[in-house]
Amino acid sequence: MNIINARLRGQPSLYSLTVEQGCFSAIEPQSDTLTATPESDTISNTIDAQGNLLSAPFVEPHIHLDAVLTAGQPNWNQSGTLFEGIERWAERKPMLTAEDIEQRVLKTVQLLVENGVQYIRTHVDVTDPSLTALKTIAGLKEKLSKAVELQIVAFPQEGICSFPNGKQLMEQAVEHGADVIGGIPHFEYTREYGVESMHWVVALAKKHGLLVDVHCDEIDDEASRFLEVLATAALEQDMGERVTASHTTAMHSYNNAYCSKLFRLLKKSKINFVSCPTESIHLQGRFDTFPKRRGITRVKELREAGMNVCLAQDSIQDPWYTLGNGKLLRVLDAGLHICHMMGYRDLSTALDLITQNGAKTLQVEEQYGIEVGKPANFIILQGSDDLSVIQQQGEVLYSVRKGEVLVQREPAYLVKTATLS
Ligand code: 17E
Ligand code: FE2
């Protein structure tokens, strides 16, 4: 396969790329006009990018696939709080069946793939004695692997120390194929349980050689300070890059003096951060009158301090969030607004937040990126660089995995328009 007339991120000229046996075998600058045309004998196997941006695939580093497409079943979240979402989900959980989960997961992964995602980390609730969701989703991994790499987090939605047999359920989830150990310290009954759970989670991951991704301080309580416990455990266990703190919305409410001290630890620990801006702007601030907090973690400040931050959707039409359509560019657009990241420097590297920073969080970097020798996994986006893709919310024109075309799209075609000039 050949790709011609492609723009690459951060590069001024056009590029031609060659793919052999599923990997990039050549990446070369070509003349800076869209003159290159496929040679007739290669035409059927050539993608003409027409000056559009060729990027590494999107990474969805935080979604709850077990809960997707269940909004309103059996009841709607009326208050819009995280806590009512957990209650509504607890009503849906006993109704889960393998068929129900499989059908919703396949539909959603298809949607994500059509929108350029090739890597997914899903949290799956294991506070369910039957572990139906975990077993079903683990069973789908192989089937999905031609389109996406899926990581499964054993996620204790109702707590590890606060839920009956919470620790045993987490251990069983590992036996059934979980790749990542989750946690929810701010939701445990007591601060002590929260602290204990963080040490236990990191130790369990270390014991099994797994990763860690904790829902950490997803609350507007400025006194919720489990991030320092998680980062310390990660540092002391030498697990930093294998550990992720998701949400950390309480950091929005920490005072600046505490945050300044905290950042020293966070930097040393080398942990990753996931922020879900559309989800957090919706769920947080719910106990405020006016002014209302945004309740998003300090994405810009973490980035500027050199830490790894990526953005995620969290939900697609579930008890926490009724909207969502699989488009990470929408989440990025919202995040750039909410986190005051609309300066040129932020915008011109913004796709990092939904591509390579996510790959670093998932620890898949070695096989990820547009480089000779790496698997030919890429997308072609409408637009020529980060800024223009975001400005026009460009569509995914192609998604290619190991040299196989997964998705090809003709953009919408305007049939008639007013003449104004
Ligand atoms: N569960 C949770 O604790 N937090 C969330 N944001 C979602 C589920 C979606
Ligand atoms: Fe989440």
Side-chain angles (χ1 to χ4, degrees), residues 193-369:
Y193 280 6
V195 171
E196 180 190 335
S197 73
M198 289 300 85
H199 291 297
W200 188 84
V201 159
V202 173
L204 182 66
K206 182 148 184 152
K207 178 173 156 199
H208 293 282
L210 300 176
L211 305 171
V212 172
D213 191 334
V214 170
H215 279 65
C216 197
D217 303 314
E218 189 188 11
I219 189 166
D220 283 323
D221 177 5
E222 71 281 3
S224 186
R225 293 184 172 185
F226 297 102
L227 178 55
E228 62 182 24
V229 182
L230 177 63
T232 302
L235 179 67
E236 291 178 354
Q237 297 296 320
D238 200 20
M239 290 269 291
E241 290 175 352
R242 298 173 63 75
V243 172
T244 297
S246 282
H247 301 301
T248 61
T249 60
M251 194 198 290
H252 186 89
S253 299
Y254 294 161
N255 66 68
N256 289 340
Y258 172 66
C259 239
S260 174
K261 174 224 157 191
L262 177 66
F263 268 40
R264 173 176 176 265
L265 164 66
L266 298 179
K267 270 192 278 187
K268 277 178 109 164
S269 76
K270 298 195 172 70
I271 66 170
N272 306 289
F273 293 85
V274 179
S275 175
C276 305
T278 46
E279 186 95 7
S280 295
I281 199 75
H282 163 62
L283 293 176
Q284 302 304 316
R286 290 282 174 170
F287 299 92
D288 293 350
T289 52
F290 288 93
K292 282 186 206 281
R293 277 171 281 190
R294 299 177 187 209
I296 319 290
T297 197
R298 302 190 186 198
V299 174
K300 183 185 175 76
E301 293 73 15
L302 288 165
R303 260 194 117 195
E304 283 174 357
M307 287 179 263
N308 186 47
V309 189
C310 53
L311 302 186
Q313 298 179 76
D314 207 8
S315 294
I316 296 181
Q317 302 164 32
D318 70 12
W320 293 272
Y321 186 89
T322 312
L323 304 179
N325 55 12
K327 291 182 190 281
L328 274 165
L329 281 174
R330 167 181 170 271
V331 172
L332 178 58
D333 183 274
L336 295 169
H337 285 82
I338 300 164
C339 302
H340 285 167
M341 288 173 62
M342 234 173 293
Y344 182 72
R345 209 158 45 110
D346 285 327
L347 287 174
S348 59
T349 57
L351 288 178
D352 286 352
L353 292 163
I354 54 171
T355 58
Q356 67 189 44
N357 295 7
K360 184 163 168 39
T361 298
L362 267 57
Q363 296 275 288
V364 295
E365 274 175 303
E366 256 174 48
Q367 298 286 305
Y368 183 91

Side-chain angles (χ1 to χ4, degrees), residues 3-185:
I3 305 103
I4 57 169
N5 300 322
R7 297 259 171 221
L8 298 182
R9 296 186 61 216
Q11 301 294 335
S13 76
L14 289 167
Y15 279 79
S16 301
L17 302 90
T18 311
V19 174
E20 285 172 302
Q21 284 155 7
C23 293
F24 292 115
S25 57
I27 302 174
E28 280 154 5
Q30 64 178 62
S31 69
D32 203 17
T33 44
L34 295 176
T35 50
T37 45
E39 314 220 340
S40 58
D41 57 337
T42 60
I43 202 159
S44 62
N45 208 14
T46 295
I47 294 175
D48 184 352
Q50 298 184 324
N52 288 300
L53 185 68
L54 186 151
S55 159
F58 290 150
V59 177
E60 173 47 85
H62 187 126
I63 192 161
H64 296 254
L65 286 179
D66 52 347
V68 291
L69 312 181
T70 64
Q73 301 174 4
N75 294 306
W76 292 94
N77 180 342
Q78 300 285 356
S79 66
T81 63
L82 166 68
F83 307 107
E84 187 181 341
I86 296 174
E87 269 182 65
R88 298 287 79 81
W89 172 241
E91 294 166 350
R92 181 60 168 80
K93 224 182 320 188
M95 296 153 60
L96 290 172
T97 65
E99 298 72 47
D100 154 49
I101 295 161
E102 180 166 333
Q103 180 244 331
R104 290 184 291 101
V105 169
L106 293 180
K107 199 168 160 186
T108 305
V109 172
Q110 178 95 35
L111 184 67
L112 292 170
V113 168
E114 287 168 5
N115 286 290
V117 171
Q118 290 186 25
Y119 299 84
I120 302 174
R121 176 179 282 180
T122 179
H123 293 255
V124 180
D125 185 4
V126 298
T127 51
D128 169 6
S130 71
L131 293 180
T132 306
L134 187 105
K135 291 177 193 165
T136 306
I137 295 177
L140 289 172
K141 216 166 149 175
E142 181 66 30
K143 181 171 177 174
L144 294 172
S145 66
K146 65 172 185 284
V148 291
E149 187 167 327
L150 184 66
Q151 284 184 0
I152 298 176
V153 186
F155 172 53
Q157 177 68 78
E158 296 183 53
I160 295 173
C161 302
S162 315
F163 192 77
N165 299 318
K167 290 181 179 169
Q168 287 94 317
L169 288 166
M170 293 288 285
E171 281 160 350
Q172 283 171 28
V174 171
E175 283 162 30
H176 283 101
D179 309 286
V180 188
I181 309 297
I184 188 162

Side-chain angles (χ1 to χ4, degrees), residues 389-408:
V389 168
I390 295 161
Q391 281 169 333
Q392 61 186 299
Q393 291 281 297
E395 289 283 3
V396 174
L397 302 175
Y398 282 88
S399 180
V400 175
R401 187 166 171 82
K402 296 181 185 145
E404 300 287 326
V405 177
L406 295 177
V407 175
Q408 182 180 353

